[in-house]
Structures are given as structure tokens and as C-alpha cells.
Amino acid sequence: MKRVHIISLGDTYMFRLAVALSEKGYSVSCSGVDIMGVEADMLREKHILLAELQPVTDPFKEKIDLVVAPLQSVSDHPELIRAKESGLLVLSVPEVVLRMAKDKTRLVFCNPRHPNRIMSMVLRAFRKQNMRCDYVALNKIPDQDKRIFLSYDARISLLEGDAFLEEKPLAHQQYKPHILIMSDLLWHPTKIHPTFESYVDFWKEMVSSIERDGKFIYNQNIPLLQELADTVREDITAVPYLPHPIVKNGNNVELETRYGQVAIPSFDEEFLSDVNAARLACRHLGVNDKEFYTIFEKLAGVR
């Protein structure tokens, strides 16, 4: 059993990563601020050890295979220094995510105005068809209790592509998606992206990193995304989408499909665009349109 040590579990995301790695079968230890309540109970239940990084020269301590650096890395963190001096493999969070997904079909989402709403639809469609997949998100996934699920047997990994934009180095540029979905761009000045141009350059690099014969699914109503689509490599298929067609039925608005009308919980333009993005993603991963529309069966009464 491989052992992973996570530094600075005080961050909620690191707690979720620790639990996900433990559920996958890793032996996990971690350090950080005092943890109490439900999170502490969960750590005990998963047999996650709360301890500082032990020197590898101690013959009575279990070997550490991987050390996960804090989400907000600090170069002078004592455990980080000790790990590097001991020659241990130290990875950032995005690098760990990539390591877990490297042999899977990677579907990367950029959905900044409504984080992970498209991912949520894809997850529901997969579960309707009993399809397993991994998923990793920093932000909440609508209708999901977990934000991270990792496994050995799932062949698909859903990744929140704009989750770690403040990380340096930007390791998630190496996600190399097989399918990249972009619904919009939403920039605000940061140390990593002080200008809109640097933010756009990041996404240009992400688009150029799409795997051979991959797909770029993008919102055709966003001119800049159309510009990115116009410059993709010849082996990448650019797949545009617009808001899903609707029909008004009395006081209700429903999706207009070849299989009939489908009641939906919302009908603003951004929601309808996200529906089409999720539908196209599912189509490329083995879920046909008729199967996809069934995800709205229990949601139609929700407003």
C-alpha cells in the first residue's frame, strides 16, 4: 500500500483530498492546524494519521512514497524543506490530480460563471447509465456531496480546469485534456494573471495542450472562444454550441428535442448553453442524447 503525506491539512480542500486518497486505498498521513468536529471524526474513521513528516532515516517509520505540498505553497515550510532534503517525491495538488488521471480520458471544464454546473450534468448522466468516473473540483459541484472522487477502475476523469489559477507553477496546464469545454472567460487581476492578456494566454496554452484527436467544445456566443476555436490544430475537432432550443408550453418552458419536449428547472440563456455543452460532452463519451435528457426527470419541479 502506497503512503501519501499531505502537508497543511488545515485547508478544507486538502481535507477532501486526504479522504479521497484514503478511500482509493492509499495510506494517508497529514499535518496542519488542529482539526475538530465532523472532519476529525472522518479522519479517524478513514484511519488518516495526523502527524508531522517523519525523517526517513528513522527505521521504525513507514516509508513515504509521495508528499503533497500545501495548496498555497510556502518555500520555507519546514516539512517541505525536510521532504526535499530527504529526496522524497514532492508534488503540488494539480500535479497529484494529473498523476491520478494520467491513464484516463480527461474531460476538463472551464465554467467560471457557474462553476461545475456542466460537470454536475455530466455526472448525473453518467450515473443514470451506471458509468463510473473520477472527478476533482475545488468549487462545489451542484447536487454532489463530494468534490473529489478517485478510483483505479474508472476510465474517465472530470477535472475543474480553472480551479487552481492562483497556483505557481501552473501545473494544471499539463492536464492535457482529451475533451476541453469552455463556456466563458471571467478574468480578475491576480499576481499570476495581472492582465487579461496573460489570462487569455493561459487558456490558449490549455487549448493547444489538447491531446491528439481531441475535442474543443466551446460557447459560440463568446467571440474570444470562437477565435481560439479558429486556431486549433488540424487534429483537434472544434465543436461549437449555442443555447439549447426551447419551446413555451403555457407557463412552462421546455427543451425542444427530437424525442419530444423535456421539462427543465431553469431556462435562462446561460443554463440553456450549459445544457448543450453537457449534452455534447456526454455524446462524445458514450451517452446518447435520449439518455442524456433523462437527467431532468426529477429536476423539472425545481425552480
Side-chain angles (χ1 to χ4, degrees):
M1 179 184 294
K2 289 188 176 181
R3 180 178 171 194
V4 177
H5 181 78
I6 299 178
I7 300 175
S8 296
L9 191 66
D11 185 283
T12 304
Y13 182 85
M14 302 299 272
F15 163 79
R16 295 189 180 97
L17 179 62
V19 171
L21 288 170
S22 176
E23 290 176 341
K24 185 175 179 179
Y26 287 81
S27 173
V28 181
S29 62
C30 51
S31 61
V33 299
D34 292 337
I35 298 175
M36 303 172 63
V38 176
E39 291 186 348
D41 293 339
M42 177 68 80
L43 293 176
R44 284 191 288 268
E45 178 186 331
K46 300 296 181 182
H47 305 291
I48 296 173
L49 175 66
L50 286 169
E52 290 187 354
L53 182 66
Q54 298 293 336
V56 293
T57 54
D58 188 334
F60 300 103
K61 299 301 178 183
E62 185 180 355
K63 179 179 180 293
I64 296 174
D65 298 288
L66 169 65
V67 175
V68 184
L71 193 57
Q72 300 295 333
S73 289
V74 180
S75 59
D76 61 352
H77 193 291
E79 287 189 58
L80 200 56
I81 294 172
R82 192 186 312 165
K84 291 178 178 178
E85 289 177 345
S86 301
L88 296 175
L89 176 62
V90 179
L91 298 179
S92 68
V93 173
E95 287 171 326
V96 172
V97 172
L98 177 62
R99 193 179 185 87
M100 299 296 159
K102 66 183 180 67
D103 296 321
K104 303 175 187 285
T105 298
R106 295 176 297 280
L107 175 53
V108 176
F109 300 82
C110 171
N111 193 203
R113 296 189 184 278
H114 301 279
N116 299 321
R117 185 162 68 181
I118 299 174
M119 185 192 291
S120 174
M121 294 182 195
V122 173
L123 274 171
R124 292 204 303 270
F126 282 1
R127 285 174 179 165
K128 280 272 190 177
Q129 304 306 313
N130 295 315
M131 293 172 58
R132 286 174 59 80
C133 71
D134 291 359
Y135 55 89
V136 179
L138 182 64
N139 295 292
K140 178 176 173 54
I141 306 173
D143 306 314
Q144 302 294 328
D145 294 329
K146 295 182 179 180
R147 302 188 192 186
I148 307 176
F149 175 78
L150 303 170
S151 70
Y152 287 104
D153 57 333
R155 303 310 304 159
I156 297 171
S157 184
L158 311 182
L159 305 173
E160 183 181 4
D162 43 3
F164 300 105
L165 287 176
E166 301 310 304
E167 286 292 289
K168 189 175 184 178
L170 295 168
H172 62 305
Q173 286 180 327
Q174 301 170 24
Y175 277 174
K176 297 183 178 178
H178 296 89
I179 300 175
L180 174 62
I181 296 180
M182 295 190 68
S183 67
D184 203 349
L185 293 171
L186 186 61
W187 169 79
H188 63 275
T190 65
K191 291 182 179 178
I192 306 301
H193 296 299
T195 66
F196 181 68
E197 288 72 21
S198 67
Y199 175 73
V200 172
D201 286 343
F202 165 80
W203 287 107
K204 285 181 179 178
E205 292 179 18
M206 180 72 89
V207 171
S208 68
S209 75
I210 296 174
E211 292 280 16
R212 185 170 181 79
D213 299 321
K215 306 291 189 297
F216 176 43
I217 301 175
Y218 68 98
N219 186 343
Q220 194 175 9
N221 275 337
I222 308 299
L224 190 49
L225 298 186
Q226 183 62 60
E227 290 180 22
L228 292 178
D230 291 339
T231 60
V232 296
R233 300 192 315 268
E234 290 185 0
D235 62 285
I236 298 173
T237 303
V239 184
Y241 66 86
L242 294 168
H244 196 292
I246 56 173
V247 60
K248 292 186 177 181
N249 187 0
N251 292 327
N252 297 322
V253 175
E254 300 175 333
L255 299 178
E256 185 175 18
T257 82
R258 60 185 295 188
Y259 310 104
Q261 296 171 5
V262 178
I264 52 175
S266 178
F267 47 84
D268 63 87
E269 184 171 301
E270 289 182 350
F271 178 82
L272 295 173
S273 293
D274 287 352
V275 168
N276 249 353
R279 179 181 63 85
L280 290 170
C282 286
R283 181 187 289 179
H284 289 294
L285 292 169
V287 179
N288 64 41
D289 289 1
K290 186 175 182 179
E291 293 166 339
F292 170 76
Y293 289 126
T294 64
I295 70 172
F296 298 109
E297 288 176 349
K298 293 183 179 180
L299 299 177
V302 182
R303 286 290 188 270

